[in-house]
Amino acid sequence: MSGPQALAEWRDVDRATFEREIVPSHQPVLLRGLVDDWPVVRKARQSDAAAASCLAAFDSGAEVDALMLAPEHGGRIGYSEDGREFNFLRNRLPLSRVIEQVLRYARFDHPPAVAVQSAAAALCAPGFAAAHPMPLLDAAVAPRLWFGNAIRTPAHFDESNNIACVAAGERRFTLFPPEQIGNLYVGPIGHSPTGTPISLVDIERPDLSRHPRFAGALAAARVADLRPGDAIYIPALWWHHVASRKALNLLVNYWWKAVPWSAGLDLLLHALLALKDLPAPQRRAWRALLDYWVFEADAHTADHIWPEQRGVHAPLNEAQAAQLRALLRQQLDR
């Protein structure tokens, strides 16, 4: 079984290079040392306690979502044996309380896994964004915090583009191209611990007798190990498995859409509702329509239509997107 290849690395990337050369490729890249100058990164290089103190200084006292897994799960977020439940407990408490837990569990040989997942920094740590600017994006793209001890998030995708920065600890990212979905043994839509569906394969201990096609996904995978100051760019819809490696880990991520009004998982849900159970000939007919008007459309698709009548066939603006959303709501309410 061939394993993943190392992810391409870039250094000294500025915003112009990022927007001109990296984003258009729709390929993930490792951005070494992108946030080396962040205060929390400098503290993390001193000690876990210094990094924890730096983060705690921004705590507003607002409660955040925190997960806890029993030690026997090995830190891997997932399902119960029958798939009906998730294998973790949820709690809400201030960020400083989670920091205290993580520091305490660092003394255990086999601690529970604890993680704050996707906490809005503006709410739980106001002032963090100003002290830790993201050089590649507009300031309007708000950071989110992921903090905990050793924990693993199964392969999943995000609906938006993503820059994720390791501020403390270490993380390994294993990435799969979107077309590998058929080899990832993806769990159910609408019942997932991550919001979007996850791979049911334990990629660190794959059982190929149970998931034989995963060998193909692993051969197409890319892997990157990030240390404090490093970042990774993950284009929308790329699958990624994330493993926090140390007793204390902090990641800061930024999500943004290429087109602000674009749909996310709701697009997939509507397609399931509208298309999945149609007879095969009708699905093929709809595929032809979608290819023509959506997937293969270009600047010349509507050349034969009078310019003032092109409407949704021309590049959309915010007003047209709002009209389409209103029309879609009307159709769904029928």
Side-chain angles (χ1 to χ4, degrees):
M1 180 174 62
S2 58
Q5 298 180 350
L7 187 63
E9 292 190 20
W10 289 63
R11 291 181 180 271
D12 302 319
V13 174
D14 59 20
R15 182 166 177 174
T17 301
F18 180 68
E19 293 178 347
R20 183 180 64 249
E21 300 185 35
I22 294 177
V23 173
S25 73
H26 200 70
Q27 298 290 314
V29 298
L30 173 56
L31 303 165
R32 279 286 183 218
L34 180 70
V35 293
D36 273 345
D37 60 346
W38 276 5
V40 71
V41 169
R42 293 197 296 268
K43 294 294 185 180
R45 290 181 177 139
Q46 296 175 16
S47 67
D48 285 352
S53 178
C54 180
L55 179 60
F58 294 97
D59 181 23
S60 68
E63 293 184 339
V64 297
D65 286 322
L67 310 183
M68 178 177 287
L69 285 77
E72 58 264 28
H73 295 299
R76 181 173 180 262
I77 295 172
Y79 295 94
S80 60
E81 285 297 323
D82 61 8
R84 294 183 179 182
E85 306 290 340
F86 302 139
N87 68 346
F88 54 83
L89 299 175
R90 290 188 184 273
N91 200 359
R92 287 191 59 81
L93 63 169
L95 183 60
S96 292
R97 290 278 304 280
V98 184
I99 294 172
E100 292 169 1
Q101 280 185 315
V102 168
L103 291 173
R104 184 169 70 254
Y105 289 153
R107 301 192 294 267
F108 292 19
D109 290 333
H110 301 287
V114 179
V116 170
Q117 301 276 73
S118 190
L123 297 179
C124 68
F128 183 92
H132 300 83
M134 162 45 60
L136 304 184
L137 301 172
D138 289 338
V141 182
R144 306 189 74 86
L145 305 181
W146 307 70
F147 175 82
N149 55 8
I151 198 164
R152 292 187 289 146
T153 303
H156 64 287
F157 66 87
D158 295 323
E159 302 169 10
S160 302
N161 298 315
N162 186 8
I163 292 178
C165 309
V166 169
E170 295 179 3
R171 267 178 166 83
R172 167 167 285 195
F173 286 78
T174 307
L175 303 106
F176 305 89
E179 59 268 22
Q180 287 299 317
I181 183 173
N183 293 329
L184 290 173
Y185 297 88
V186 176
I189 295 172
H191 178 57
S192 171
T194 63
T196 57
I198 64 170
S199 171
L200 301 183
V201 181
D202 183 347
I203 77 164
E204 295 190 355
R205 304 175 188 83
D207 181 352
L208 294 184
S209 64
R210 185 178 182 184
H211 304 124
R213 294 193 308 276
F214 181 70
L218 202 57
R222 304 173 200 179
V223 67
D225 290 310
L226 279 67
R227 301 180 295 274
D230 295 336
I232 188 171
Y233 164 62
I234 306 175
L237 306 183
W238 271 74
W239 296 84
H240 48 288
H241 174 280
V242 189
S244 305
R245 298 296 203 189
K246 296 296 184 178
L248 182 145
N249 303 274
L250 171 63
L251 180 131
V252 184
N253 95 296
Y254 303 79
W255 279 314
W256 78 101
K257 291 185 175 182
V259 178
W261 50 80
S262 65
L265 192 61
D266 48 343
L267 170 66
L268 178 58
L269 297 177
H270 187 58
L272 289 171
L273 176 67
L275 301 175
K276 183 177 71 70
D277 293 327
L278 291 177
Q282 288 190 36
R283 293 202 306 272
R284 289 193 293 270
W286 276 109
R287 177 183 291 174
L289 295 178
L290 290 169
D291 281 344
Y292 179 73
W293 274 318
V294 179
F295 297 115
E296 297 178 8
D298 58 26
H300 303 292
T301 299
D303 280 353
H304 61 286
I305 300 176
W306 303 276
E308 64 274 11
Q309 299 299 330
R310 288 176 185 170
V312 298
H313 302 292
L316 295 178
N317 56 37
E318 291 189 18
Q320 290 170 319
Q323 292 174 357
L324 282 177
R325 283 195 295 268
L327 179 60
L328 180 59
R329 283 193 292 267
Q330 292 176 10
Q331 296 294 323
L332 288 174
D333 288 340
R334 287 184 177 180

